[in-house]
Amino acid sequence: MASRWVRLQAVAVSGSSAEGLMLAALPLLAVSVTTDPREISLVNVAGQAPWLLLSLFAGVLIDRVRRTAVLAWAYAVQVGAALVLGAVASAGALSLPVLLVVAFVVTSAQVLGDGASGALVPELVEPDRLAHANARLTVIDRGVVQFVVPPLTGFLVAVGAGAPAWLAAAFALLALLLTRRIPSTAVVAARTHPLRDLSAGLTHLVRTPLLRSITLNVALGSFAASAGNSMFVLYATQILHVGSVGYGLLLACLAVGWVVSSFVVQRIVDRLGYSWSMRLAQSLGAVAPLLLAVLPPWPPLIGVVLVFLTSTVLVWNVCSQSSRQRFTPAPLLGRVLTSHRALAWGLTPLGALTGGLVAAHWSLRGVWVVVAAVQALSAVLVWFQLSPAAFRRTEELAASEAYAGRPSSTAH
């Protein structure tokens, strides 16, 4: 089991490198095509749409097919998208429609890959180490996507518009080859209709009060984060007045927060429990966007705020993912994870559009005011919904024979 866990981490490093190069390059390439906030936001809309459109069907696939095979398919799609972007950018034929299609395809691969890797984690680690394992994968992903890769992407774009995509294709191919070296549990042949399987995952998520509450609050947070992320490249270049390299360094500050909090997240959860960890993380996370709205445009100071922001986000994300893994039967896990993402991240395209509209009709700083307001609303809900008693009730339900015998847990 330990060797498979190490291999999955190696896959995460190479796969996140490919993903990070593409995600960091797309906004920079979009700015080279247009500076209209509404058009820039469309790239984020296209990049977020697969979470809403494809997640439910991806979950059915993950629970019907060997999960390492799904992970390999995801990286194969990434290779194709990177090769197309590299060829078009190198030929000087970039256009907004091309960027929209590539953004959609890259995220489609991410929907499959994230769902499959999340469903693999409980196969590879003990239940009491889920928080640690999820933190490790998150740090690998965010550390590579936002710390190592973005500054490199800024330099690569300066060298050649297609350079980040060519390197991304190489990393995605490596991830594909490494994935094939991870054995995973065989999937029981499904005898039910795919739509019934899809319904089973949604039903479990919606009928479990704790998981439903987490999904609601993640939906609010995703809407807010998408609004901020869609305008961050303009905030960095027009408010902070940094170039492509400076933009990459600011993204690297986001990753520092992930890395710093990764060393203490397991201790935080062990000491405070899931409820208080999530309450405090969400409350502190509502403060950071307000600071981005009001602080003077000094990049080092903004970098510190970004470190603080992602430190709180990591604690929340680890508790959120671990809760779904703890309170979901294994045969349903792929569908529950992707159903959560479909419902929770389905608002991200609307968030990206909102960010563009607020920036166009109000200001770039105004975007962060809206983000802070939504995050504050979510914090209030978290304090009421995710109490220690709510977690205790869910644990008792998960341990009961009635829970084990639910129809949704025996869909396969």
Side-chain angles (χ1 to χ4, degrees):
M1 183 177 289
S3 63
R4 290 189 295 166
W5 168 233
V6 171
R7 290 173 188 171
L8 183 60
Q9 293 177 75
V11 169
V13 171
S14 51
S16 294
S17 298
E19 179 186 315
L21 284 162
M22 297 292 281
L23 294 179
L26 283 168
L28 291 174
L29 296 176
V31 170
S32 72
V33 174
T34 177
T35 57
D36 187 324
R38 290 161 293 191
E39 293 183 349
I40 295 292
S41 71
L42 289 178
V43 177
N44 289 81
V45 171
Q48 298 296 335
W51 294 111
L52 175 62
L53 300 177
L54 303 179
S55 288
L56 295 177
F57 301 99
V60 174
L61 181 65
I62 291 166
D63 285 339
R64 282 175 171 253
V65 179
R66 192 181 293 269
R67 284 156 180 172
T68 48
V70 177
L71 196 56
W73 295 344
Y75 290 126
V77 172
Q78 275 197 24
V79 171
L83 290 175
V84 169
L85 182 61
V88 172
S90 297
L94 276 176
S95 65
L96 188 62
V98 169
L99 293 174
L100 293 178
V101 172
V102 171
F104 185 88
V105 172
V106 168
T107 307
S108 298
Q110 190 180 7
V111 169
L112 284 174
D114 283 7
S117 62
L120 273 171
V121 170
E123 292 185 26
L124 308 182
V125 300
E126 299 299 325
D128 60 351
R129 300 295 293 168
L130 282 176
H132 171 77
N134 287 318
R136 177 68 61 85
L137 288 181
T138 300
V139 167
I140 289 174
D141 181 36
R142 296 296 94 187
V144 171
V145 170
Q146 293 178 327
F147 183 62
V148 177
V149 169
L152 173 62
T153 305
F155 286 112
L156 289 174
V157 168
V159 172
W166 294 122
L167 186 56
F171 276 120
L173 180 59
L174 177 60
L176 170 60
L177 297 175
L178 291 172
T179 298
R180 300 188 66 84
R181 293 175 54 84
I182 302 176
S184 69
T185 304
V187 177
V188 178
R191 295 183 181 145
T192 53
H193 193 279
L195 290 180
R196 184 177 176 185
D197 283 355
L198 186 153
S199 175
L202 270 174
T203 299
H204 178 82
L205 181 67
V206 172
R207 288 186 178 177
T208 306
L210 181 78
L211 300 185
R212 182 177 65 239
S213 297
I214 290 174
T215 298
L216 170 62
N217 284 283
V218 174
L220 291 171
S222 297
F223 173 89
S226 181
N229 292 340
S230 67
M231 292 297 101
F232 187 72
V233 65
L234 292 179
Y235 175 80
T237 56
Q238 296 183 11
I239 300 295
L240 303 181
H241 302 292
V242 298
S244 61
V245 174
Y247 170 72
L249 291 173
L250 286 172
L251 292 183
C253 291
L254 292 170
V256 171
W258 296 102
V259 174
V260 169
S261 57
S262 71
F263 291 105
V264 296
V265 64
Q266 182 72 57
R267 276 181 273 181
I268 291 174
V269 173
D270 289 344
R271 178 175 292 250
L272 300 180
Y274 280 83
S275 173
W276 281 99
S277 297
M278 298 178 83
R279 283 173 162 182
L280 293 175
Q282 184 59 39
S283 300
L284 294 173
V287 175
L290 185 60
L291 294 175
L292 294 176
V294 302
L295 287 176
W298 186 38
L301 179 61
I302 299 302
V304 172
V305 175
L306 296 177
V307 171
F308 169 74
L309 172 63
T310 48
S311 295
T312 63
V313 172
L314 177 68
V315 175
W316 170 274
N317 285 356
V318 165
C319 293
S320 172
Q321 178 82 331
S322 299
S323 296
R324 287 184 292 280
Q325 292 167 339
R326 289 171 63 203
F327 303 130
T328 301
L332 277 175
L333 187 53
R335 281 165 286 165
V336 168
L337 292 179
T338 54
S339 294
H340 163 81
R341 284 172 177 150
L343 297 176
W345 297 358
L347 291 179
T348 52
L350 181 59
L353 281 175
T354 300
L357 291 173
V358 171
H361 296 287
W362 184 10
S363 69
L364 288 169
R365 287 186 179 274
V367 174
W368 296 111
V369 175
V370 173
V371 171
V374 176
Q375 295 284 32
L377 171 62
S378 179
V380 172
L381 294 176
V382 165
W383 277 85
F384 283 102
Q385 296 174 340
L386 303 185
S387 64
F391 275 89
R392 285 194 299 271
R393 286 194 298 269
T394 307
E395 289 169 354
E396 293 167 0
L397 186 62
S400 69
E401 292 183 2
Y403 181 88
R406 272 188 183 176
S408 64
S409 67
T410 57
H412 274 54

